[in-house]
Amino acid sequence: MASCQRPTERVFEFSTDASSRAGLVALEDGVLVGNEAGTLLRLDRRGGLIWRVRLGAEVAARPTVSGDSVIAGTGGG
């Protein structure tokens, strides 16, 4: 078992205004996160909001990127 000897370093803090079961998706220049309120967000490396899309139903699975498109599955289909 390996472990890190240094404590974690907080890079940024951001609230999506709802819980997330989908988790973060690391991108080269930031992250994607979907939440239970049905919002998909893209953040830059500093935690700044790049864009937000309201999908209307919980983002039920981890979003993915294909080319220049983002694919996100919701509880509503």
Side-chain angles (χ1 to χ4, degrees):
M1 183 168 120
S3 66
C4 199
Q5 299 299 317
R6 296 186 305 166
T8 59
E9 178 182 332
R10 183 176 295 203
V11 177
F12 65 81
E13 185 174 322
F14 185 91
S15 174
T16 68
D17 297 326
S19 299
S20 174
R21 290 190 279 186
L24 293 174
V25 175
L27 303 173
E28 197 171 295
D29 59 349
V31 296
L32 286 172
V33 61
N35 67 25
E36 292 181 18
T39 302
L40 182 64
L41 304 102
R42 173 138 186 225
L43 307 176
D44 64 22
R45 287 178 176 247
R46 295 184 177 154
L49 181 65
I50 296 174
W51 52 256
R52 172 189 325 244
V53 177
R54 290 183 174 86
L55 302 174
E58 175 187 357
V59 179
R62 186 170 297 200
T64 190
V65 177
S66 178
D68 61 355
S69 298
V70 175
I71 302 164
T74 67

